[in-house]
Amino acid sequence: MNRRDLLKSSLTIAGGSLLASGARAAGLTPGMPASIAPPARRKLGGKLEVSSIGLGVQNMSRTYQTTIPSRPEMIRIIRSAFDQGVTLFDVAEAYGPFECERILGEGVAPFRNKIVIETKFGWNIDQQTGQMRGGLNSKPDHIKEVAENMLKRLRTDRIDLLYQHRVDPTVPIEDVVGAIKDLIGQGKVLHYGLSEPGPQTVGRAHAIHPVTAIQNEYSLLWLGPEDIILPLCEELGIGFVCWSPLGVGFTTGAIDANTGFAPGDLRAMESRFSRQNITKNIALVDLLKKWAQQKDATPGQISLAWLLAKKPWIVPIPGTTQMAHMQENTGAAQVHFTPDELNKFNTELAAIKIGGERLPPFVLSLSGVEAPGKT
């Protein structure tokens, strides 16, 4: 049984949706499946309160499989996520480009003041045409121009959390943070963060103005942040947002040794999904399926629950274009490990060695970059 069938079956067994009066009495949003309660709240950087599980909208203009989703359905998923307690919505100018910001802006318009929008700048994108010019651009004037256009696409007067999508190796982080401080002073940005940064750059940025969150890839398939970035976040009081917390679908059981990828699907270029590596990496999925059965959950829910159990300032932002998957992901907030269960799971996890790189070389080279010094 795949994750979607398993979710549908569990919801059927649970009785489907509660009536509005019963849902209110149970503390649930009317129309929410009975087995899903609103996720708890967490704080990024000790001050920005968000739901413990967010929603990434990266694929809402184009999926990994290169298909174009239904825009009305994407907006319905965004609004249903809010109804189920999700308050953190993640996007970037590069997604589309621009189109995902427009979709999110339309989707959250009815409840804009009740949620947190985080988006990202940093690529060299023509602000009129959306043409990707290649490379990065975090020059202060460009940052400010991008921010103005983001506000229009998102239909808002402020960006709650603005990230530098990748560190620009040609622009001192002092100049980048200086531009963001100007935007904060104007009320156009409330908080800022960095995505996939080098640790020294984090320290330099934080010394100028507190960094609210770091957004890096982190999942059971990629534990890299545990070496340096997570300890640094704890030391400096910075929140951590996990992109691709389900290992681009791998930890849900949606990918196996027989899976083929569509032309243009980035996963086809990741060596962790090569035939040689995936036959070994599938041991992780087997582990998740075993624990999912033990805890009456799905493999994806176990994956997200494990991330939530790591630190109280970690927030995963799983992306999806499927309503059932959004409901499943949100429901992961109700899956909990006892200390003994967590120790046992981690022991079993440590015995699994993941093979292959997490990204194609040209993309991976943009992670962990240190900004140049200020001259």
Side-chain angles (χ1 to χ4, degrees), residues 32-350:
M32 182 185 299
S35 60
I36 301 178
R41 300 296 182 91
R42 297 189 165 199
K43 288 187 177 181
L44 299 174
K47 51 192 173 183
L48 181 59
E49 186 174 89
V50 298
S51 53
S52 60
I53 295 177
L55 176 66
V57 305
Q58 176 180 358
N59 291 334
M60 288 191 173
S61 68
R62 178 182 180 275
T63 68
Y64 285 125
Q65 294 83 7
T66 71
T67 58
I68 307 300
S70 160
R71 186 187 183 99
E73 179 63 8
M74 298 306 97
I75 291 172
R76 192 170 77 91
I77 290 171
I78 289 169
R79 294 178 177 175
S80 295
F82 172 74
D83 288 341
Q84 295 185 14
V86 173
T87 65
L88 178 63
F89 294 83
D90 179 85
V91 70
E93 64 158 347
Y95 302 161
F98 303 160
E99 189 59 24
C100 286
E101 286 183 326
R102 295 189 183 104
I103 292 170
L104 181 61
E106 181 178 349
V108 303
F111 45 83
R112 167 63 187 101
N113 293 329
K114 298 179 180 179
I115 55 108
V116 169
I117 293 176
E118 58 177 28
T119 189
K120 315 174 200 72
F121 69 88
W123 299 97
N124 191 15
I125 304 173
D126 186 291
Q127 292 300 295
Q128 280 66 51
T129 66
Q131 179 183 358
M132 300 289 285
R133 293 172 168 170
L136 302 168
N137 187 346
S138 282
K139 294 177 181 177
D141 289 346
H142 184 72
I143 294 172
K144 294 176 181 180
E145 181 185 7
V146 169
E148 292 292 344
N149 290 325
M150 286 174 164
L151 293 173
K152 295 174 185 176
R153 292 189 291 267
L154 291 167
R155 305 186 185 189
T156 185
D157 62 350
R158 81 280 183 192
I159 298 165
D160 300 294
L161 177 52
L162 180 65
Y163 294 95
Q164 184 184 33
H165 209 156
R166 291 294 188 273
V167 171
D168 190 329
T170 69
V171 180
I173 196 64
E174 291 79 6
D175 292 349
V176 173
V177 179
I180 294 173
K181 283 184 67 176
D182 289 344
L183 293 168
I184 291 174
Q186 296 167 13
K188 296 176 180 178
V189 171
L190 304 186
H191 303 270
Y192 88 103
L194 304 168
S195 182
E196 299 281 337
Q200 295 179 17
T201 298
V202 175
R204 288 163 53 196
H206 193 70
I208 303 168
H209 188 282
V211 177
T212 296
I214 300 296
Q215 185 177 139
N216 278 25
E217 182 178 4
Y218 184 38
S219 72
L220 286 166
L221 188 62
W222 170 246
L223 305 176
E226 295 181 354
D227 295 335
I228 297 174
I229 293 296
L230 286 180
L232 182 62
C233 285
E234 187 156 40
E235 176 188 346
L236 299 178
I238 299 172
F240 187 90
V241 175
C242 319
W243 68 263
S244 198
L246 296 172
V248 289
F250 184 73
T251 64
T252 69
I255 298 172
D256 60 28
N258 297 315
T259 299
F261 297 104
D265 190 327
L266 188 68
R267 294 173 297 183
M269 294 179 278
E270 298 176 8
S271 60
R272 59 186 173 181
F273 298 132
S274 69
R275 291 302 173 108
Q276 178 183 0
N277 285 318
I278 202 169
T279 54
K280 297 179 292 185
N281 296 344
I282 208 73
L284 174 61
V285 178
D286 293 338
L287 174 65
L288 289 167
K289 288 179 177 178
K290 184 186 78 169
W291 277 85
Q293 185 174 18
Q294 292 175 6
K295 297 190 70 64
D296 192 24
T298 67
Q301 288 177 329
I302 296 296
S303 301
L304 295 173
W306 180 84
L307 288 168
L308 294 175
K310 294 293 288 185
K311 296 290 180 182
W313 36 266
I314 289 178
V315 178
I317 47 168
T320 186
T321 58
Q322 303 294 323
M323 181 70 77
H325 293 176
M326 182 277 291
Q327 293 175 335
E328 175 187 349
N329 295 338
T330 304
Q334 310 310 313
V335 178
H336 303 286
F337 290 93
T338 67
D340 286 344
E341 286 176 334
L342 193 58
N343 287 335
K344 184 177 180 182
F345 182 92
N346 286 335
T347 298
E348 295 175 352
L349 177 65

